């Protein structure tokens, strides 16, 4: 792969933008030598504006999604991509969220350009559990856990029953719920079917991967192999 193509695939700009940047001399090696389009030193020795390049794919990020940001670039308003370096939205292959969270859902979100990992983590066939912390408008009535565990609950507008889900009571108006599938607004619609209303929702784990305590809302970092394994991706 040529240097221009590599940089374009990593989202540093279209090929023409990258070529223009290279003519300005912003792509160097670690010794400060300005690189031309025919140069191609090892990845770890290339700098863009003095910074090491992002790793080539597969790349997975671990992100603490804040309230008020959508996971889709098609939606108007603030998106999670606004909180990441612009080049992440331009990478090829693209970085996709592993199971979208609603605009007003917070918590653990993985983003990856690895199609196999994405499929493994979101396909119900692989039974990767996702756990949410739920805050409710009204007190729990006591029938919810059995309803959600039944495997017979059919959401409004759907025909196929939900897979059984596990709900634990945390307090009168708080619960933890673990699902192995991710239908549209699933947790909110489940509690609506039980006669309640979700006022706050946070994803706290994917597989055995819990939201790292050091990541504040809006912060992200590259996920380690160990974290990807804990999420159920290996
Ligand atoms: N269930 C929901 O209702 N919303 C989410 O964002 C995730 C799961």
């Amino acid at each position: 792969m040529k240097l221009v193509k590599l940089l374009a695939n990593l989202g540093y700009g279209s090929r023409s933008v990258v070529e223009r940047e290279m003519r300005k001399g912003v792509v160097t090696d670690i010794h400060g030598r300005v690189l031309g389009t025919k140069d191609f030193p090892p990845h770890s020795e290339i700098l863009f504006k003095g910074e090491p390049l992002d790793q080539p794919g597969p790349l997975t990020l671990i992100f603490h999604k804040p309230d008020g940001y959508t996971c889709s670039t098609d939606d108007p308003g603030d998106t999670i991509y606004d909180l990441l370096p612009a080049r992440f939205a331009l990478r090829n292959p693209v970085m996709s969220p592993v199971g979208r969270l609603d605009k007003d859902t917070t918590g653990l979100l993985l983003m990856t350009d690895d199609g196999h990992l994405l499929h493994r983590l979101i396909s119900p066939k692989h039974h990767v559990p996702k756990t949410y912390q739920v805050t409710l408008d009204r007190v729990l009535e006591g029938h919810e856990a059995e309803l959600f565990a039944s495997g017979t609950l059919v959401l409004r507008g759907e025909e196929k029953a939900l897979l059984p889900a596990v709900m634990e009571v945390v307090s009168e108006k708080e619960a933890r719920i673990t699902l192995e599938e991710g239908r549209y607004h699933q947790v909110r619609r489940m509690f609506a079917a039980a006669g309640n209303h979700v006022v706050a929702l946070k994803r706290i784990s994917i597989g055995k991967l819990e939201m790292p305590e050091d990541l504040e809302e809006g912060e992200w970092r590259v996920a380690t192999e160990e974290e990807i394994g804990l999420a159920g991706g290996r």
Side-chain angles (χ1 to χ4, degrees):
M1 196 194 295
K2 295 252 175 63
L3 185 52
V4 174
K5 189 167 179 221
L6 170 74
L7 293 170
N9 285 350
L10 293 177
Y12 289 92
S14 62
R15 287 189 197 200
S16 57
V17 167
V18 167
E19 277 171 4
R20 200 166 59 224
E21 291 294 312
M22 290 188 76
R23 281 197 293 275
K24 288 189 209 155
V26 303
V27 182
T28 61
D29 68 11
I30 49 173
H31 310 292
R33 192 171 71 88
V34 172
L35 298 176
T37 50
K38 300 221 168 69
D39 295 317
F40 205 6
H43 195 99
S44 59
E45 295 185 9
I46 306 171
L47 303 181
F48 188 91
K49 295 188 177 166
E51 296 289 326
L53 296 188
D54 296 325
Q55 71 181 61
L59 172 67
T60 300
L61 307 180
I62 182 164
F63 181 56
H64 190 160
K65 183 191 171 297
D67 188 3
Y69 289 80
T70 63
C71 286
S72 163
T73 45
D74 300 336
D75 292 322
D78 297 327
T79 81
I80 49 170
Y81 294 96
D82 298 332
L83 300 167
L84 301 168
R87 60 184 184 275
F88 283 155
L90 301 173
R91 276 175 74 109
N92 177 20
V94 291
M95 298 290 293
S96 308
V98 178
R100 289 183 182 180
L101 294 177
D102 298 337
K103 185 173 184 179
D104 46 359
T105 301
T106 61
L108 180 59
L109 183 68
L110 297 176
M111 306 221 20
T112 191
D113 61 2
D114 180 343
H116 291 292
L117 176 66
L118 183 67
H119 177 72
R120 214 186 143 70
L121 294 181
I122 64 177
S123 162
K125 277 194 209 127
H126 290 107
H127 303 286
V128 173
K130 284 115 194 156
T131 301
Y132 297 83
Q133 190 173 293
V134 191
T135 308
L136 297 158
D137 189 32
R138 290 185 278 282
V139 296
L140 288 157
E141 289 176 358
H143 66 292
E144 298 85 352
E146 199 181 325
L147 175 67
F148 298 157
S150 67
T152 60
L153 177 61
V154 179
L155 294 176
R156 186 180 285 202
E158 297 197 3
E159 283 173 7
K160 199 168 163 228
L162 295 176
L163 294 174
V166 178
M167 192 202 90
E168 296 160 74
V169 176
V170 175
S171 73
E172 274 192 330
K173 290 187 180 181
E174 289 171 299
R176 223 170 269 138
I177 186 159
T178 302
L179 316 175
E180 289 184 357
E181 57 187 339
R183 299 199 203 174
Y184 183 65
H185 294 331
Q186 183 167 339
V187 175
R188 294 173 204 274
R189 291 163 73 209
M190 287 170 78
F191 279 96
N196 212 321
H197 176 70
V198 172
V199 292
L201 188 60
K202 177 178 184 179
R203 181 152 66 195
I204 55 173
S205 64
I206 299 175
K208 294 197 175 77
L209 175 66
E210 292 180 2
M211 183 78 241
E213 284 179 9
D214 62 322
L215 276 189
E216 299 290 334
E217 284 195 11
E219 290 184 344
W220 61 274
R221 59 175 163 72
V222 175
T224 63
E225 278 302 309
E226 192 193 348
E227 286 171 328
I228 294 169
L230 283 172
R234 298 279 185 264

